Amino acid sequence: DLLEVDFGAWDGRRWSEIPKAEVDAWVADFAGFAPLGGEPLGRMLARVAACELPAGALVVSHGGWMLARRWVQQRGQDVPHAADWPAPPRYGVGWSL
């Protein structure tokens, strides 16, 4: 449940290497689109929502997972649109879940 979203064929590539049409398709269906072999954000949000952390747990994660966790806590089952997705925190910033 703590894994970052799987970007499939996009993983390890620079944004400039990904065809604009694919990025546009992702933005148009932000929660449902998955790059080839990847995972849609909606599925990741379901994983994050189901993740039960023990009291006092310390999670060190990629910012995407933390943004998804915060989204679920603040917005519940709302389906995100690209324009609504929060900006990542500054490097090294801690959040309380």
Side-chain angles (χ1 to χ4, degrees), residues 66-77:
M66 294 299 288
L67 290 172
R69 182 70 177 218
R70 182 168 273 190
W71 180 274
V72 167
Q73 287 180 320
Q74 293 177 348
R75 312 272 303 254
Q77 298 298 317

Side-chain angles (χ1 to χ4, degrees), residues 15-26:
W15 286 109
S16 61
E17 297 173 352
I18 300 169
K20 183 179 182 320
E22 291 182 32
V23 174
D24 290 346
W26 180 39

Side-chain angles (χ1 to χ4, degrees), residues 53 55 57 82 92:
L53 299 171

